[in-house]
Amino acid sequence: MTTYSALTTLMGEELATKLGDALEALTPEPTGVGVFEVEDGSGLWEVGAYFDDQPDVAGMAVLTTMYDVKPFVVSEVPDTDWVAHVRRELAPVVAGRFFVYGSHDADKVPDDCTPLLIEAAMAFGTGHHGTTLGCLRAFDRLVNAGFTSGKVADIGCGTAVLAMAAATVVPEVVIATDIDPVAVDVAEVNVRANKLDGQVNCVTAPGFETPVLKDAAPFDLIFANILKGPLIGLSADMANATIAGGHVILSGILNEQADDVVNVYEGNGYSLLHRDVIVEWTTLTFTKKT
């Protein structure tokens, strides 16, 4: 079945939210409306609506006039098996010792690697994005430098690929948390698929506000692959939860945002150990000062 999308961009969150709300009142009603910030530091927001039937182009034109924004671009969305499409497009990812793959590539797993199975249909975190890849490379570097044991937490775990990578190295139970319960469900499925039951504890929690993290702290290593704003907001809690001499690996940071994050974390008692840049994304590895 052919469906339809309608997209436009504009400046500012408040105006974008109002336009998104107005789209909800169209007839035929959209099956979904999304309002997202474009993560390039430009201040642009994207507003999109999706329809099962031909959308009301005249009604959308009225909205663009009312809100003084660019006209919506309306496109047909063909009936596509997106899971099959993604599986075809996503090749396995190599990050040091780690080999991240989908079940459709099980025959390509090398003998001399640490395999991590992540289905393409799952949540964010297949290893293809520069942020996840940067974290895996940073962790591989720490392992090569001698990190083989200690308490590890993965904050904003998504698919739990980072937590699982750590669980293949350290004997201690790794704690993986996410604010989204659906992500935690996905993480648990992946943990079982990789036969890491009992080695990764998946918990729904915002930031460090969970007894599981509080009871386990301080940590020798914390992953946080989220976004600049939450990373800065969590910096003090992160510092309190990191053992002296321990490490944090941070990502979800656009290259132009990296210096701001470095300044905040250095102000909270960390020293920058390494900076990885993959296309527009930066991954930062810090050591907690003793």
Side-chain angles (χ1 to χ4, degrees):
M1 180 182 72
T2 299
T3 57
Y4 301 86
S5 67
L7 301 171
T8 189
T9 55
L10 61 156
M11 297 296 295
E13 179 180 5
E14 182 178 357
L15 185 60
T17 300
K18 289 180 179 178
L19 180 56
D21 291 342
L23 283 170
E24 297 275 8
L26 288 177
T27 302
E29 294 181 6
T31 56
V33 173
V35 179
F36 304 100
E37 184 177 12
V38 179
E39 294 179 2
D40 61 359
S42 65
L44 273 176
W45 286 70
E46 181 179 82
V47 179
Y50 302 88
F51 302 85
D52 286 339
D53 301 308
Q54 180 75 42
D56 179 6
V57 176
M60 286 188 291
V62 171
L63 292 180
T64 59
T65 301
M66 288 175 57
Y67 291 94
D68 192 24
V69 298
K70 295 190 297 183
F72 282 92
V73 176
V74 178
S75 305
E76 290 188 4
V77 181
D79 187 13
T80 302
D81 184 343
W82 289 109
V83 172
H85 175 76
V86 169
R87 283 177 171 172
R88 288 194 298 270
E89 294 296 319
L90 293 186
V93 171
V94 179
R97 74 196 65 229
F98 302 108
F99 184 88
V100 185
Y101 71 103
S103 58
H104 58 290
D105 283 321
D107 60 334
K108 299 178 182 177
V109 178
D111 294 330
D112 57 343
C113 74
T114 300
L116 296 170
L117 170 61
I118 303 290
E119 281 297 352
M122 295 297 188
F124 173 84
T126 60
H128 293 79
H129 197 273
T131 59
T132 309
L133 179 60
C135 289
L136 287 170
R137 288 179 178 175
F139 179 56
D140 183 69
R141 186 184 302 111
L142 283 183
V143 176
N144 289 338
F147 184 89
T148 57
S149 181
K151 294 181 181 180
V152 180
D154 181 5
I155 309 300
C157 64
T159 59
V161 63
L162 302 178
M164 292 190 299
T168 66
V169 173
V170 303
E172 295 85 353
V173 174
V174 178
I175 300 174
T177 70
D178 202 289
I179 195 171
D180 182 357
V182 174
V184 174
D185 290 343
V186 168
E188 290 175 339
V189 169
N190 284 327
V191 168
R192 289 194 294 271
N194 285 273
K195 297 180 172 57
L196 292 171
D197 310 63
Q199 293 174 257
V200 180
N201 183 13
C202 303
V203 181
T204 303
F208 289 87
E209 294 303 313
T210 174
V212 174
L213 288 174
K214 291 178 179 178
D215 292 344
F219 293 93
D220 298 88
L221 171 64
I222 299 174
F223 294 103
N225 180 15
I226 40 182
L227 292 170
K228 173 192 170 183
L231 286 174
I232 289 177
L234 290 172
S235 57
D237 289 340
M238 193 92 67
N240 290 332
T242 308
I243 196 168
H247 300 88
V248 296
I249 296 175
L250 311 180
S251 200
I253 307 163
L254 291 166
N255 295 337
E256 61 268 23
Q257 300 171 338
D259 287 343
D260 291 340
V261 177
V262 170
N263 291 337
V264 169
Y265 275 77
E266 288 182 339
N268 277 278
Y270 291 95
S271 296
L272 181 63
L273 184 64
H274 204 275
R275 183 189 300 236
D276 288 282
V277 176
I278 301 176
V279 193
E280 71 264 43
W281 298 98
T282 294
T283 299
L284 302 170
T285 304
F286 292 91
T287 301
K288 179 76 177 296
K289 295 176 183 177
T290 57

